[in-house]
Coordinates of all heavy atoms in Angstrom, one line a residue:
G72 N -15.2 -11.7 6.7 CA -16.6 -11.8 7.0 C -17.5 -11.6 5.8 O -18.8 -11.5 6.0
R73 N -17.0 -11.7 4.6 CA -17.9 -11.6 3.4 C -17.5 -12.7 2.4 O -16.3 -13.2 2.4 CB -17.7 -10.2 2.8 CG -18.2 -9.1 3.6 CD -18.4 -7.8 2.9 NE -17.5 -7.5 1.8 CZ -17.5 -6.3 1.1 NH1 -18.3 -5.4 1.5 NH2 -16.7 -6.1 0.2
H74 N -18.4 -13.0 1.6 CA -18.2 -14.0 0.5 C -18.7 -13.3 -0.8 O -19.5 -12.4 -0.7 CB -19.0 -15.2 0.7 CG -18.3 -16.4 1.3 ND1 -17.8 -16.3 2.6 CD2 -17.9 -17.6 0.8 CE1 -17.2 -17.4 2.9 NE2 -17.3 -18.2 1.8
W75 N -18.1 -13.7 -1.9 CA -18.6 -13.3 -3.2 C -19.3 -14.4 -3.8 O -18.8 -15.6 -3.9 CB -17.5 -12.8 -4.1 CG -16.9 -11.5 -3.7 CD1 -17.2 -10.7 -2.6 CD2 -15.8 -10.8 -4.3 NE1 -16.4 -9.6 -2.5 CE2 -15.5 -9.6 -3.6 CE3 -15.0 -11.1 -5.4 CZ2 -14.6 -8.7 -3.9 CZ3 -14.0 -10.2 -5.7 CH2 -13.8 -9.0 -5.0
A76 N -20.5 -14.2 -4.4 CA -21.3 -15.3 -5.0 C -21.4 -15.0 -6.5 O -21.4 -13.8 -6.9 CB -22.7 -15.3 -4.4
F77 N -21.3 -16.0 -7.3 CA -21.3 -15.8 -8.8 C -22.2 -16.9 -9.4 O -22.4 -18.0 -8.9 CB -19.9 -16.1 -9.3 CG -18.9 -15.1 -8.8 CD1 -17.9 -15.6 -7.9 CD2 -18.8 -13.8 -9.2 CE1 -17.0 -14.8 -7.3 CE2 -17.8 -13.0 -8.7 CZ -16.9 -13.5 -7.7
L78 N -22.8 -16.5 -10.6 CA -23.3 -17.5 -11.5 C -22.4 -17.5 -12.7 O -22.2 -16.4 -13.3 CB -24.8 -17.1 -11.9 CG -25.4 -18.0 -12.9 CD1 -25.5 -19.5 -12.4 CD2 -26.9 -17.5 -13.2
V79 N -21.8 -18.6 -13.0 CA -20.7 -18.7 -13.9 C -21.1 -19.5 -15.1 O -21.7 -20.6 -15.0 CB -19.4 -19.3 -13.3 CG1 -18.3 -19.3 -14.2 CG2 -19.1 -18.4 -12.1
D80 N -20.7 -19.1 -16.3 CA -20.9 -19.9 -17.5 C -19.6 -20.1 -18.2 O -19.1 -19.3 -19.0 CB -21.8 -19.1 -18.5 CG -22.3 -20.0 -19.7 OD1 -21.5 -20.9 -20.0 OD2 -23.3 -19.6 -20.3
P81 N -18.9 -21.2 -17.8 CA -17.5 -21.4 -18.3 C -17.5 -21.7 -19.8 O -16.5 -21.4 -20.5 CB -17.0 -22.7 -17.5 CG -18.2 -23.3 -17.0 CD -19.3 -22.3 -16.9
G82 N -18.6 -22.2 -20.4 CA -18.6 -22.5 -21.8 C -18.6 -21.2 -22.6 O -18.0 -21.1 -23.7
A83 N -19.3 -20.2 -22.1 CA -19.3 -18.9 -22.8 C -18.2 -18.0 -22.3 O -18.0 -16.9 -22.9 CB -20.7 -18.2 -22.5
G84 N -17.5 -18.3 -21.2 CA -16.5 -17.5 -20.7 C -16.9 -16.3 -20.0 O -16.2 -15.3 -20.0
T85 N -18.1 -16.3 -19.4 CA -18.6 -15.1 -18.7 C -19.1 -15.4 -17.3 O -19.5 -16.6 -17.0 CB -19.9 -14.6 -19.5 OG1 -20.9 -15.6 -19.5 CG2 -19.5 -14.1 -20.9
I86 N -19.1 -14.4 -16.5 CA -19.7 -14.5 -15.2 C -21.0 -13.7 -15.3 O -21.0 -12.5 -15.6 CB -18.8 -13.8 -14.1 CG1 -17.5 -14.6 -14.0 CG2 -19.6 -13.8 -12.8 CD1 -16.5 -14.0 -13.0
V87 N -22.1 -14.4 -15.3 CA -23.4 -13.9 -15.6 C -23.9 -13.0 -14.5 O -24.6 -12.0 -14.8 CB -24.4 -15.1 -15.8 CG1 -25.8 -14.6 -16.1 CG2 -23.9 -16.0 -16.9
W88 N -23.6 -13.3 -13.3 CA -24.2 -12.5 -12.1 C -23.2 -12.6 -11.0 O -22.5 -13.6 -10.8 CB -25.5 -13.1 -11.7 CG -26.1 -12.7 -10.5 CD1 -26.9 -11.5 -10.3 CD2 -26.0 -13.3 -9.2 NE1 -27.2 -11.5 -8.9 CE2 -26.7 -12.5 -8.3 CE3 -25.4 -14.5 -8.7 CZ2 -26.8 -12.9 -6.9 CZ3 -25.5 -14.8 -7.4 CH2 -26.2 -14.0 -6.5
G89 N -23.2 -11.6 -10.1 CA -22.3 -11.6 -8.9 C -22.9 -10.8 -7.8 O -23.6 -9.8 -8.1
A90 N -22.6 -11.2 -6.6 CA -23.1 -10.4 -5.4 C -22.2 -10.6 -4.3 O -21.4 -11.5 -4.2 CB -24.5 -10.9 -5.1
I91 N -22.3 -9.7 -3.3 CA -21.5 -9.8 -2.1 C -22.4 -10.3 -1.0 O -23.5 -9.7 -0.8 CB -21.0 -8.4 -1.7 CG1 -20.0 -7.9 -2.8 CG2 -20.2 -8.4 -0.4 CD1 -19.6 -6.4 -2.7
L92 N -22.0 -11.3 -0.3 CA -22.8 -11.9 0.8 C -22.1 -11.7 2.2 O -20.9 -11.8 2.2 CB -22.9 -13.4 0.6 CG -23.4 -13.9 -0.7 CD1 -23.3 -15.4 -0.8 CD2 -24.9 -13.5 -0.9
K93 N -22.8 -11.4 3.2 CA -22.3 -11.4 4.5 C -22.2 -12.8 5.0 O -23.1 -13.6 4.7 CB -23.1 -10.5 5.4 CG -23.1 -9.0 5.1 CD -24.0 -8.2 6.0 CE -24.0 -6.8 5.5 NZ -24.9 -6.0 6.3
D94 N -21.2 -13.1 5.7 CA -20.9 -14.5 6.1 C -21.9 -15.1 7.2 O -21.9 -16.2 7.5 CB -19.5 -14.7 6.7 CG -18.5 -14.8 5.5 OD1 -18.9 -14.9 4.4 OD2 -17.3 -14.9 5.9
D95 N -22.8 -14.2 7.7 CA -23.7 -14.7 8.7 C -24.8 -15.5 8.0 O -24.6 -16.5 7.3 CB -24.3 -13.6 9.5 CG -24.9 -12.5 8.7 OD1 -25.0 -12.6 7.5 OD2 -25.3 -11.4 9.3
K96 N -26.1 -15.2 8.1 CA -27.2 -15.9 7.6 C -27.3 -15.8 6.0 O -27.8 -16.6 5.4 CB -28.5 -15.5 8.2 CG -28.6 -15.9 9.6 CD -29.9 -15.6 10.2 CE -30.0 -16.0 11.7 NZ -31.2 -15.7 12.3
Q97 N -26.7 -14.7 5.5 CA -26.8 -14.5 4.0 C -26.2 -15.7 3.3 O -26.7 -16.2 2.3 CB -26.2 -13.2 3.6 CG -27.2 -12.0 3.8 CD -26.6 -10.8 3.0 OE1 -25.4 -10.6 2.9 NE2 -27.6 -9.9 2.7
L98 N -25.0 -16.1 3.7 CA -24.3 -17.1 3.0 C -25.0 -18.4 3.0 O -25.2 -19.1 2.0 CB -22.9 -17.3 3.6 CG -22.0 -18.4 3.0 CD1 -21.8 -18.1 1.5 CD2 -20.7 -18.5 3.7
S99 N -25.5 -18.9 4.2 CA -26.3 -20.1 4.2 C -27.6 -20.0 3.5 O -28.0 -21.0 2.8 CB -26.5 -20.5 5.7 OG -27.2 -19.5 6.4
T100 N -28.2 -18.8 3.5 CA -29.5 -18.6 2.8 C -29.2 -18.7 1.3 O -30.0 -19.4 0.5 CB -30.1 -17.3 3.1 OG1 -30.3 -17.2 4.5 CG2 -31.4 -17.1 2.4
F101 N -28.2 -18.1 0.8 CA -27.8 -18.2 -0.6 C -27.6 -19.6 -1.1 O -28.1 -20.1 -2.1 CB -26.5 -17.3 -0.9 CG -25.9 -17.6 -2.3 CD1 -26.5 -17.1 -3.4 CD2 -24.8 -18.4 -2.4 CE1 -26.0 -17.4 -4.7 CE2 -24.2 -18.7 -3.6 CZ -24.9 -18.2 -4.8
R102 N -26.8 -20.3 -0.3 CA -26.5 -21.7 -0.6 C -27.8 -22.6 -0.6 O -27.9 -23.5 -1.4 CB -25.5 -22.3 0.3 CG -24.1 -21.7 0.1 CD -23.1 -22.2 1.1 NE -21.7 -21.7 0.8 CZ -20.7 -21.9 1.5 NH1 -20.8 -22.6 2.7 NH2 -19.5 -21.4 1.2
A103 N -28.7 -22.3 0.3 CA -30.0 -23.0 0.3 C -30.9 -22.7 -0.9 O -31.7 -23.5 -1.3 CB -30.7 -22.8 1.6
L104 N -30.7 -21.5 -1.5 CA -31.5 -21.2 -2.6 C -31.1 -21.8 -3.9 O -31.8 -21.7 -4.9 CB -31.6 -19.6 -2.8 CG -32.4 -18.9 -1.8 CD1 -32.3 -17.4 -1.9 CD2 -33.9 -19.3 -1.9
V105 N -29.9 -22.3 -4.0 CA -29.4 -22.9 -5.2 C -30.3 -24.2 -5.5 O -30.4 -25.0 -4.6 CB -27.9 -23.3 -5.1 CG1 -27.5 -24.1 -6.4 CG2 -27.1 -22.0 -5.0
P106 N -30.9 -24.2 -6.6 CA -31.9 -25.3 -6.9 C -31.2 -26.7 -6.8 O -30.0 -26.8 -7.2 CB -32.4 -25.1 -8.3 CG -32.0 -23.6 -8.6 CD -30.9 -23.3 -7.8
S107 N -32.0 -27.7 -6.4 CA -31.5 -29.0 -6.3 C -31.1 -29.5 -7.7 O -31.8 -29.3 -8.7 CB -32.6 -29.9 -5.7 OG -32.2 -31.3 -5.7
G108 N -30.0 -30.2 -7.8 CA -29.5 -30.7 -9.1 C -28.6 -29.6 -9.8 O -28.0 -30.0 -10.8
Q109 N -28.7 -28.4 -9.4 CA -27.8 -27.4 -10.0 C -26.5 -27.4 -9.3 O -26.4 -27.3 -8.1 CB -28.4 -26.0 -9.8 CG -27.5 -24.8 -10.0 CD -27.0 -24.7 -11.5 OE1 -27.8 -24.9 -12.4 NE2 -25.8 -24.4 -11.6
P110 N -25.4 -27.6 -10.1 CA -24.1 -27.7 -9.4 C -23.8 -26.3 -8.7 O -24.1 -25.3 -9.2 CB -23.1 -27.9 -10.6 CG -23.9 -28.0 -11.8 CD -25.3 -27.7 -11.5
M111 N -23.2 -26.5 -7.5 CA -22.8 -25.3 -6.7 C -21.5 -25.6 -6.1 O -21.3 -26.6 -5.5 CB -23.9 -25.1 -5.7 CG -23.9 -23.9 -4.8 SD -22.5 -23.1 -4.4 CE -23.0 -22.0 -3.1
I112 N -20.5 -24.7 -6.2 CA -19.2 -24.9 -5.5 C -19.2 -23.8 -4.5 O -19.2 -22.6 -4.7 CB -18.1 -24.7 -6.5 CG1 -18.2 -25.6 -7.7 CG2 -16.8 -24.9 -5.8 CD1 -17.2 -25.3 -8.8

Side-chain angles (χ1 to χ4, degrees):
R73 295 192 331 184
H74 265 66
W75 289 359
F77 303 104
L78 178 58
V79 180
D80 189 338
T85 59
I86 298 176
V87 179
W88 169 84
I91 299 169
L92 308 171
K93 294 180 183 175
D94 281 355
D95 54 7
K96 291 182 180 181
Q97 278 193 332
L98 181 59
S99 57
T100 303
F101 166 75
R102 289 178 176 172
L104 285 175
V105 174
S107 176
Q109 166 63 42
M111 187 333 193
I112 307 174

